[in-house]
C-alpha cells in the first residue's frame, strides 16, 4: 500500500467517521484472533462472516513526515503501533537503477506460493456444507527454539519495564510479532511441515528489536499529542538532523516557513536550551567558512 501515512491518518483521526475508525479496530482484533476466530461485524447490508485464524498482512510504504504525525500517542498506548514491523530507511535516496532481470516471476516461486495457498483447500471462512472449518496446520518447534523464544520474551519485557511508561508499550508485543515473522519464513522454507528453528527465532527477534528501536527514536522525535508539542519536536528534530555542523538561527527561521510565528520559535529554542537538549556555540562548518552562532543538539 503506497502512501500508507495517509491511510493511517484517516483511521487514526479523532474526527474520522465510523466506517474509517472501525478499520483500526478490525485490524487490532484480527491480530489478536490469529490463533482463534474473528467473528466480524454485521452491517445493514450483510451479516457477519466469521474468519478462522485470520493472518492479515499489509505491506505499506510512506515518508516519515506523513506516517509519524498520523500515528497519535493513542496508537502506542492501545497497542496499535506495537503490532507493526516498522523499518526506517535513512540516508540519501539510491540512484536510479535500470532493471535488467525479467519482471516475470520465476516458475519455482509461483509453484512455491501456490503450494502455500493450496496445501489445505478448505479456506478460512465460516463453515458450510461446501466449506468445512479450516483446521490450521501448526508449525513445530525446533530443538531449543521454544525455550529461546520464552527467554527473549522475558528479556524484552524487562526492557519495557526499565524504560519510560509512554514507551514501554512498544516492547510488549516484540516477541509476539517476531513469532509471526518467524512463521512466515518457516512456511516459505517448507509449507507442508514448517519448523521454527532456534536460529529463525533469533533472527526474527533481532529484526523486531531493530523495528522497536526505530519506533522509539521516531516517537521521541516526531510523535506529538497536540500542535504545540508537534512544533516543539519539529524544531528539536531540525537541530538534531543538522548534526555536527549545527544550524544558525537564520536558517531555522527559513525552515519554519510560516508554519508558526518566530516568537514561538524563540520560545521553543529557549525551552530546549533550558532543558539542556540543545546548546549554542560560535563555530564554523566542517568545510570552513566564517564562524557564526549555531545551535547543536546534545
Amino acid at each position: 500500500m503506497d502512501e500508507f501515512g495517509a491511510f493511517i491518518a484517516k483511521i487514526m483521526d479523532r474526527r474520522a467517521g465510523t466506517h474509517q475508525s472501525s478499520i483500526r479496530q478490525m485490524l487490532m482484533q484480527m491480530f489478536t484472533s490469529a490463533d482463534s476466530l474473528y467473528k466480524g461485524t454485521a452491517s445493514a447490508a450483510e451479516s457477519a462472516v466469521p474468519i478462522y485464524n485470520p493472518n492479515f498482512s499489509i505491506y505499506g510504504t510512506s515518508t516519515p513526515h506523513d506516517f509519524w504525525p498520523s500515528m497519535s500517542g493513542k496508537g502506542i498506548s492501545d497497542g496499535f503501533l506495537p503490532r507493526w514491523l516498522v523499518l526506517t530507511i535513512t540516508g540519501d535516496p539510491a540512484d536510479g537503477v535500470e532493471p535488467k532481470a525479467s519482471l516475470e516471476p520465476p516458475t519455482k516461486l509461483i509453484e512455491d506460493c501456490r503450494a502455500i495457498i493450496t496445501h489445505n483447500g478448505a479456506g478460512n471462512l465460516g463453515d458450510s456444507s461446501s466449506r468445512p472449518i479450516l483446521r490450521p496446520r501448526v508449525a513445530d518447534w525446533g530443538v531449543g527454539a521454544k525455550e529461546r523464544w520464552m527467554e527473549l520474551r522475558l528479556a524484552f519485557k524487562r526492557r519495557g519495564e526499565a524504560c519510560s511508561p509512554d514507551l514501554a508499550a512498544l516492547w510488549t508485543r516484540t516477541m509476539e510479532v517476531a513469532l509471526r515473522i518467524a512463521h512466515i519464513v518457516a512456511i516459505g522454507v517448507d509449507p507442508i511441515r514448517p519448523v521454527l528453528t532456534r536460529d529463525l527465532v533469533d533472527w526474527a527477534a533481532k529484526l523486531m528489536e531493530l523495528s522497536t528501536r526505530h519506533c522509539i527514536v521516531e516517537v521521541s522525535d516526531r510523535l506529538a499529542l497536540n500542535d504545540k508539542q508537534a512544533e516543539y519536536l519539529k524544531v528539536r528534530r531540525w537541530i538534531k538532523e543538522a548534526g555536527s555542523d549545527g544550524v544558525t538561527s537564520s536558517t531555522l527561521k527559513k525552515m519554519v516557513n510560516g508554519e508558526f510565528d518566530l516568537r514561538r520559535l524563540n520560545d521553543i529554542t529557549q525551552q530546549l536550551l533550558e532543558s539542556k537538549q540543545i546548546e549554542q556555540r560560535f563555530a564554523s562548518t566542517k568545510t570552513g567558512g566564517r564562524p557564526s552562532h549555531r545551535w547543536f543538539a546534545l
Side-chain angles (χ1 to χ4, degrees):
M1 181 184 295
D2 198 12
E3 305 298 340
F4 190 59
F7 168 74
I8 294 295
K10 290 180 180 179
I11 66 175
M12 294 294 294
D13 193 335
R14 65 179 184 273
R15 297 164 298 183
T18 305
H19 66 290
Q20 293 174 324
S21 59
S22 62
I23 295 176
R24 176 168 152 271
Q25 294 300 324
M26 179 195 70
L27 292 175
M28 295 177 67
Q29 290 171 12
M30 279 192 170
F31 183 96
T32 305
S33 306
D35 63 346
S36 57
L37 170 68
Y38 173 72
K39 295 182 178 180
T41 304
S43 65
E46 57 186 15
S47 59
V49 178
I51 303 175
Y52 293 87
N53 305 103
N55 282 270
F56 187 63
S57 298
I58 298 178
Y59 174 76
T61 58
S62 176
T63 63
H65 306 289
D66 289 333
F67 178 77
W68 291 107
S70 302
M71 185 70 70
S72 67
K74 183 181 179 181
I76 301 177
S77 60
D78 69 0
F80 184 65
L81 177 59
R83 285 171 163 84
W84 297 88
L85 169 65
V86 181
L87 299 176
T88 302
I89 307 301
T90 59
D92 296 329
D95 294 333
V97 178
E98 183 177 351
K100 296 180 180 180
S102 172
L103 296 179
E104 294 297 323
T107 302
K108 180 67 166 57
L109 178 61
I110 296 175
E111 292 175 351
D112 289 346
C113 290
R114 183 179 291 117
I116 293 173
I117 296 173
T118 62
H119 77 276
N120 187 326
N124 63 343
L125 296 178
D127 59 332
S128 66
S129 57
S130 60
R131 187 186 293 274
I133 297 175
L134 171 68
R135 303 301 179 188
R137 194 181 299 274
V138 179
D140 294 324
W141 288 102
V143 177
K146 185 174 182 179
E147 293 77 10
R148 180 57 173 164
W149 181 81
M150 295 177 68
E151 176 188 345
L152 290 168
R153 182 178 63 171
L154 179 59
F156 287 130
K157 178 182 177 182
R158 288 175 176 169
R159 287 192 190 184
E161 294 170 348
C163 70
S164 60
D166 55 330
L167 296 176
L170 292 172
W171 292 105
T172 56
R173 295 185 180 272
T174 300
M175 285 310 297
E176 185 178 352
V177 180
L179 188 60
R180 293 163 187 262
I181 296 172
H183 270 87
I184 292 173
V185 178
I187 292 169
V189 173
D190 188 345
I192 307 302
R193 295 181 181 84
V195 177
L196 298 173
T197 65
R198 182 186 174 96
D199 288 344
L200 195 50
V201 169
D202 276 332
W203 170 80
K206 290 178 181 177
L207 184 61
M208 274 309 300
E209 180 181 7
L210 177 64
S211 170
T212 303
R213 291 186 180 279
H214 280 170
C215 287
I216 289 174
V217 171
E218 296 295 339
V219 164
S220 301
D221 284 349
R222 299 178 187 271
L223 207 60
L225 298 177
N226 52 58
D227 292 340
K228 283 186 175 296
Q229 188 180 25
E231 294 166 358
Y232 179 92
L233 293 178
K234 184 172 290 187
V235 174
R236 187 181 69 177
R237 189 175 71 252
W238 287 339
I239 297 174
K240 180 180 178 181
E241 290 175 348
S244 58
D245 285 340
V247 59
T248 63
S249 294
S250 60
T251 301
L252 274 181
K253 292 176 182 178
K254 293 178 182 178
M255 296 172 78
V256 169
N257 195 29
E259 289 188 43
F260 45 88
D261 59 53
L262 297 183
R263 182 181 300 176
R264 172 64 179 151
L265 174 62
N266 293 333
D267 289 342
I268 293 173
T269 53
Q270 186 61 33
Q271 290 177 42
L272 291 169
L273 189 62
E274 292 175 357
S275 61
K276 297 183 179 179
Q277 297 187 64
I278 63 172
E279 67 177 2
Q280 192 174 43
R281 301 199 306 263
F282 192 68
S284 58
T285 64
K286 291 179 181 179
T287 57
R290 190 172 183 177
S292 59
H293 285 97
R294 294 176 173 272
W295 294 105
F296 296 87
L298 295 177

